[in-house]
Amino acid sequence: MARASIRLPPFLLLLAATCAAVANAQLSEDYYGSSCPAALLTIRTTVATAVLLDRRMGASLLRLYFHDCFVQASPQDLPLLFPWSSFNIGCDASVLLDDTPSFTGEKGAGPNAGSLRGFEVIDRIKLLLELICPGTVSCADILAVAARDAVVHLGGPSWTVLLGRRDATSASASLANSDLPGPNSNLNDLLAAFSKKGLSSTDMVALSGGHTIGRAQCQSYRNRIYADTDIDGTFAASLRGDCPQGGGNDGNLAPLDASSPDYFDNSYFSGLLTHMGLLHSDQALYDGGSTDGLVRSYASNNDQFGSDFAAAMVKLGNLGVLTGAYGEIRVNCRAVN
Ligand code: HEM
C-alpha cells in the first residue's frame, strides 16, 4: 500500500504545488455553516469535557492530529499527481483506521503503538455529529478542530481551522514508521523530516513547542537521561529513579515540559535553554545548531511562539488534504465506509 515519494522535475513540482493550492482553495471556514451548524460547538464542548476529566487529554489530541497529518494520505485516494509529489502530507484521519485484511494501519506503527491516545474522544464527537447531521462532518476535520480547541483550552493560541477535508480510505503502517521522527533524532534528522513535508525550520521549531504539554514514556527518554552529556545533571538524576537504565518501567511517564506540563506556554523553550529537554530530539533544537536563535526568541517571547505555532498548525493542516470528490466522509472514524 505504501508508495515511496519520488523527486520530480521542477515543472511537475509546480503542477503538484498548484494541485495542492487548488485543494486548499476548497477548504473554507464556514464549510459546515449550513450543513451542520452545530459541528464546531459539539467538538468544542466534547473536547472541553474530556480535558476537564483528564488534562493530559489535551496534549494527546494535539499529538493525534500531528501524527495524522504527518503521514501521507493513501495513494488510492489522491489526485493523480499527489502520489508522485513531494507534498506527501495529509490530515486525512488515516491514523484513526483500525487494521483490515487489506491494509495494516498506522495505530500499530512504532511511534504510535501503546502511545497515541484520544481515539475515544474522537469517537464520541463523531457519534454525536452522526446523530445531529449524518454523513456530513469528516473525521479529518474533527481531528483538526479538536487539536485547536485542546490547545486553546490549555491556555494556548487560537487560529482559524479551514474545513472541508475528507477522510482517507486506507492507512499505511510503513509510512508512519518511516516519516514520523523518533525521540533520538538529531537536528538534521528533524529538519529533513519536516522539509520533506513542505515545512520550514521555523515551522519545525514552533511545532516542536507542542511539547509544552503532555508526557513521554521512560522508553522514549531513557537514552537521554543515561547517555546524553548535554543534559542538566540534577534533572537527569531526578528522572532516573523512575526509569531504570537496564530496562523495565518502560511506560512510566515524565512531563515533556517539567515546569508547566498542562499549560500551553513557552516554558518548553526556557527548559531547553537550561538543558532540560526531556527527549534527545527536544534538546537537539538548542544544542549549538542553526535553530538556537529561534529557541532563545521563543523562550523570551510567548506571543512570538504563539503566533508562529498557530501559523505552522494552519500550514500543517492545509497541505495536501483530500477535498471534493477524493476520499469519503466516514461514518465511523475507525473504519472505511
Ligand atoms: C519534532 C519531532 C517530534 C518528535 C521526535 C516527537 C516525539 C514524541 C515522543 C517520543 C513523545 C512521547 C511518546 C511516548 O513516550 O508515549 C511525544 C509526545 C508528544 N508529542 Fe511529539 N514529537 C515531535 C513533534 C511533535 C509535534 C510537531 C507536536 C504537535 C504539534 C507534538 C506533540 C506531542 C504531544 C502533545 C505529546 C504528549 C502526548 C501525550 O501526553 O499524550 N510532537 N512526542
Side-chain angles (χ1 to χ4, degrees), residues 163-192:
L163 300 164
R165 295 169 193 77
R166 290 167 67 83
D167 300 326
T169 59
S170 183
S172 167
S174 57
L175 281 176
N177 279 321
S178 63
D179 286 8
L180 287 165
N184 296 317
S185 306
N186 62 32
L187 182 58
N188 282 342
D189 300 330
L190 296 173
L191 290 171

Side-chain angles (χ1 to χ4, degrees), residues 56 59-60 63 66 115 181-182 207-208 211 214-217 220 281:
R56 184 184 169 202
S60 303
R63 183 168 188 240
F66 169 57
S115 158
L207 287 171
S208 298
H211 286 182
R215 312 287 189 279
Q217 302 177 59
S220 302
S281 55

Side-chain angles (χ1 to χ4, degrees), residues 56-67 70 111-117 151 180-185 190 193-194 203-221 250 252-254 256 264 268 278-279 281-282 285 309 313 316:
R56 184 184 169 202
M57 190 50 75
S60 303
L61 290 169
L62 174 62
R63 183 168 188 240
L64 193 55
Y65 173 69
F66 169 57
H67 282 216
F70 227 61
N112 295 338
S115 158
L116 270 193
R117 305 170 76 239
V151 167
L180 287 165
N184 296 317
S185 306
L190 296 173
F194 279 70
D203 296 328
M204 189 275 283
V205 177
L207 287 171
S208 298
H211 286 182
T212 178
I213 50 175
R215 312 287 189 279
Q217 302 177 59
C218 158
Q219 58 190 346
S220 302
Y221 61 83
D250 282 4
N252 279 359
L253 296 173
L256 285 153
F264 198 101
Y268 162 80
L278 182 65
L279 307 178
S281 55
D282 290 322
L285 304 180
F309 180 83
M313 285 291 281
L316 175 72

Side-chain angles (χ1 to χ4, degrees), residues 25 38 50 54 76 79 105 117 122 130 145 152 160-161 163 177 188 214 221 231 242 253 288 301 309:
D54 168 14
Q76 75 212 41
R117 305 170 76 239
I122 302 300
E130 283 302 307
V145 175
V152 171
T160 299
V161 179
L163 300 164
N177 279 321
N188 282 342
Y221 61 83
I231 187 167
D242 267 354
L253 296 173
N301 190 336
F309 180 83

Side-chain angles (χ1 to χ4, degrees), residues 182-314:
N184 296 317
S185 306
N186 62 32
L187 182 58
N188 282 342
D189 300 330
L190 296 173
L191 290 171
F194 279 70
S195 150
K196 187 175 171 190
K197 306 295 174 186
L199 296 164
S200 69
S201 71
T202 300
D203 296 328
M204 189 275 283
V205 177
L207 287 171
S208 298
H211 286 182
T212 178
I213 50 175
R215 312 287 189 279
Q217 302 177 59
C218 158
Q219 58 190 346
S220 302
Y221 61 83
R222 180 178 280 120
N223 281 348
R224 167 98 180 117
I225 60 175
Y226 290 104
D228 280 4
T229 50
D230 60 348
I231 187 167
D232 177 87
T234 313
F235 176 62
S238 72
L239 293 163
R240 287 183 185 140
D242 267 354
C243 188
Q245 185 166 22
N249 294 345
D250 282 4
N252 279 359
L253 296 173
L256 285 153
D257 169 12
S259 70
S260 57
D262 294 317
Y263 191 67
F264 198 101
D265 60 9
N266 61 342
S267 59
Y268 162 80
F269 294 101
S270 313
L272 299 185
L273 298 187
T274 53
H275 299 280
M276 285 169 62
L278 182 65
L279 307 178
H280 180 88
S281 55
D282 290 322
Q283 199 58 57
L285 304 180
Y286 187 78
D287 205 21
S290 59
T291 52
D292 279 14
L294 195 53
V295 169
R296 271 194 294 269
S297 299
Y298 289 158
S300 66
N301 190 336
N302 192 38
D303 288 347
Q304 187 195 352
F305 164 53
S307 71
D308 283 4
F309 180 83
M313 285 291 281
V314 169

Side-chain angles (χ1 to χ4, degrees), residues 107-158:
K107 287 179 176 175
N112 295 338
S115 158
L116 270 193
R117 305 170 76 239
F119 297 104
E120 307 74 22
V121 178
I122 302 300
D123 285 343
R124 218 169 297 140
I125 295 169
K126 183 62 176 169
L127 199 71
L128 288 170
L129 290 179
E130 283 302 307
L131 288 174
I132 305 169
C133 24
T136 306
V137 183
S138 69
C139 301
D141 277 345
I142 292 173
L143 265 178
V145 175
R148 189 268 318 269
D149 291 350
V151 167
V152 171
H153 215 74
L154 295 177
S158 189

